[in-house]
Amino acid sequence: MREHRQDTRSRIQDVALDLFTEQGYEATSLREIAERLGVTKAALYYHFKSKDEIVTSFMEDRAATLERLVAWGQAEPRTDEMRREFVRRYAAELTEGRHYRVMRFLERNQTALRDHPKSERVREVMYSVFELLSEADDPLPLRIKSSLALFAMHATWFIAPEQDYSDEEREGAALQVALELVDAVAADRQPTG
Amino acid sequence: MREHRQDTRSRIQDVALDLFTEQGYEATSLREIAERLGVTKAALYYHFKSKDEIVTSFMEDRAATLERLVAWGQAEPRTDEMRREFVRRYAAELTEGRHYRVMRFLERNQTALRDHPKSERVREVMYSVFELLSEADDPLPLRIKSSLALFAMHATWFIAPEQDYSDEEREGAALQVALELVDAVAADRQPTG
DNA sequence: GTCTATAGCGCGATAGAC
DNA sequence: GTCTATCGCGCTATAGAC
């Protein structure tokens, strides 16, 4: 939830995140961000050293949160119930703060962020997330299903965008599908129960 | 499969498609494309009126192919078996020509192509594809699963990229998961058989 | 069909006043 | 903390020779 009163630094982050996601990082100029805030480009440079550093500032938070969640998962036994609880926690955190918007920004600017250090950090920790949901000897179809569980939680926005589902409905349905997928993978691993 | 001998126009398309997908549309300059081909920027302008028109040229083929497939599906009765056959045809076409590369280019340049007419045409026909896989009264979780079936076929490249699965293994596994998902959706619709 | 040369523009970033 | 003014660059695109 965005605060009603924010300092300038935080307002720059919010406007930039929205514009970068909507139009793309490269297609969004600092002039546009400044204009929407009612200031000039030069003012932005008081708060951030560069355009790149605006991105860094909100990616850092996402990377740290994901790393904490992965640390929790790695300390737990690798059971089916751990995986269910992991997915629940992942979904819950995604709805807090700027996390969902940052993931959407990342997905839609994969190429522009290809060599960005923070982007690589998020990609690496997402790979650890994927590893947590997988077993070493899972065949490829099971790996794909585990990945789709993660993707389901990120992608609610592109499902039936014209229909008026509430955010809560979308989040709930996405979590349900994600849990069904990890359950299906668990069942596939032990066909005899 | 790319031909060994190509005319210059076709070579420009291939190099541009690869660079646009790898680095992003906006981040790729005509100078880079020209250099990789061993010609100058001005030479590209003999074959294409603008940078935008290079994109248009390979998106047109993708849109037309998708529209033909959707026309087939819309003429068929909306049965479970039609949906299975539709997914099989979709997967088969994706492996031909430049289709898979064009979809990857689209996914990775969503923002840059936001207002591109051909991109909107592909988005619209993808929405018709989604409609074909859905029933009017499908609840949200079923809609999400149907979408994931499509996504599975596009996303094999991000699954375990470091492992050496062959293209055939990836395509086969993705098709299998997509079919399992449409079957699961069909089963959810008729829990009593 | 490809070249050299350049026009014209918007960008990220900086300097220095207030 | 925000402003005006400007620098330098790389880009898309075009003109015209060969």
Side-chain angles (χ1 to χ4, degrees):
Chain A
M1 184 79 78
R2 281 185 245 178
E3 317 240 321
H4 271 197
R5 290 212 146 262
Q6 289 178 308
D7 55 15
T8 304
R9 187 185 156 89
S10 191
R11 287 172 62 229
I12 294 170
Q13 287 175 321
D14 271 330
V15 167
L17 183 50
D18 285 347
L19 288 177
F20 290 163
T21 305
E22 189 79 13
Q23 310 177 344
Y25 174 73
E26 317 227 28
T28 302
S29 68
L30 296 179
R31 181 187 52 75
E32 282 182 279
I33 298 171
E35 268 176 15
R36 187 171 285 201
L37 287 164
V39 296
T40 63
K41 274 196 296 174
L44 304 185
Y45 279 95
Y46 173 81
H47 297 279
F48 296 95
K49 280 192 318 206
S50 67
K51 186 182 181 185
D52 189 283
E53 216 210 54
I54 303 177
V55 171
T56 301
S57 71
F58 50 67
M59 298 264 282
E60 168 61 31
D61 188 34
R62 181 60 186 151
T65 296
L66 276 171
E67 280 162 2
R68 259 183 281 115
L69 183 59
V70 164
W72 172 85
Q74 285 174 343
E76 294 284 311
R78 287 162 96 53
T79 64
D80 294 342
E81 182 46 35
M82 178 277 282
R83 293 193 173 104
R84 287 179 61 85
E85 178 60 18
F86 184 91
V87 165
R88 277 186 224 108
R89 290 181 183 216
Y90 188 96
E93 283 186 348
L94 204 56
T95 67
E96 289 169 7
R98 284 195 259 251
H99 293 294
Y100 185 81
R101 289 159 73 214
V102 172
M103 291 309 281
R104 201 150 117 67
F105 161 71
L106 262 169
E107 281 170 13
R108 297 186 61 158
N109 288 276
Q110 293 173 60
T111 51
L113 299 173
R114 200 172 51 128
D115 300 321
H116 195 291
K118 298 288 177 186
S119 170
E120 284 169 9
R121 203 173 131 203
V122 171
R123 246 194 308 276
E124 264 164 42
V125 68
M126 284 304 294
Y127 185 71
S128 301
V129 168
F130 173 70
E131 289 277 280
L132 269 179
L133 293 183
S134 304
E135 293 286 343
D137 57 350
D138 278 348
L140 190 48
L142 263 60
R143 290 178 183 274
I144 293 175
K145 282 192 220 176
S146 297
S147 299
L148 289 181
L150 289 173
F151 186 77
M153 294 183 282
H154 293 165
T156 52
W157 48 269
F158 87 65
I159 314 286
E162 82 297 348
Q163 304 232 23
D164 40 18
Y165 296 111
S166 69
D167 285 355
E168 287 74 18
E169 282 177 297
R170 287 173 190 272
E171 288 156 16
L175 175 56
Q176 179 189 323
V177 172
L179 288 172
E180 282 180 36
L181 279 164
V182 298
D183 286 349
V185 169
D188 285 350
R189 285 190 194 114
Q190 308 175 6
T192 59
Chain B
M1 187 77 78
R2 281 185 245 176
E3 317 241 322
H4 270 198
R5 289 213 147 261
Q6 288 179 309
D7 55 16
T8 304
R9 186 184 156 89
S10 190
R11 287 173 63 230
I12 293 171
Q13 287 175 321
D14 272 328
V15 167
L17 183 50
D18 284 347
L19 288 177
F20 290 164
T21 304
E22 189 79 13
Q23 311 177 342
Y25 174 73
E26 317 226 30
T28 302
S29 68
L30 296 178
R31 181 187 52 74
E32 281 182 279
I33 297 171
E35 267 175 16
R36 186 171 289 201
L37 287 164
V39 297
T40 63
K41 280 195 293 175
L44 305 185
Y45 279 95
Y46 173 81
H47 297 279
F48 296 95
K49 279 193 318 207
S50 66
K51 186 182 179 184
D52 189 284
E53 216 209 54
I54 302 178
V55 170
T56 301
S57 72
F58 48 67
M59 299 265 281
E60 168 61 32
D61 188 33
R62 179 61 186 151
T65 296
L66 276 171
E67 280 162 2
R68 259 183 279 117
L69 182 59
V70 164
W72 172 84
Q74 285 172 344
E76 294 284 311
R78 286 161 135 318
T79 63
D80 294 342
E81 183 46 35
M82 176 278 281
R83 294 193 173 102
R84 289 179 59 84
E85 178 60 19
F86 184 91
V87 166
R88 276 186 224 108
R89 289 181 183 217
Y90 187 97
E93 283 187 347
L94 204 54
T95 67
E96 290 170 7
R98 286 195 258 252
H99 292 296
Y100 185 80
R101 289 159 73 214
V102 172
M103 291 309 281
R104 201 150 118 67
F105 161 70
L106 262 167
E107 281 170 14
R108 298 187 60 157
N109 290 275
Q110 291 172 61
T111 52
L113 298 173
R114 199 172 52 129
D115 300 321
H116 195 291
K118 298 290 177 186
S119 170
E120 285 169 7
R121 203 174 132 201
V122 171
R123 247 196 308 277
E124 265 165 40
V125 70
M126 283 305 292
Y127 185 72
S128 302
V129 168
F130 173 71
E131 288 278 280
L132 269 179
L133 294 183
S134 304
E135 292 286 342
D137 57 352
D138 277 348
L140 190 48
L142 264 61
R143 289 178 184 275
I144 293 175
K145 282 192 221 177
S146 297
S147 299
L148 289 181
L150 290 173
F151 186 75
M153 294 184 282
H154 293 165
T156 52
W157 48 270
F158 87 65
I159 315 286
E162 82 296 350
Q163 305 231 22
D164 40 19
Y165 296 111
S166 69
D167 285 355
E168 287 73 19
E169 281 177 297
R170 288 173 188 271
E171 289 157 14
L175 175 57
Q176 177 189 324
V177 171
L179 287 172
E180 282 180 35
L181 279 165
V182 299
D183 286 348
V185 169
D188 286 349
R189 284 191 193 112
Q190 308 176 5
T192 58

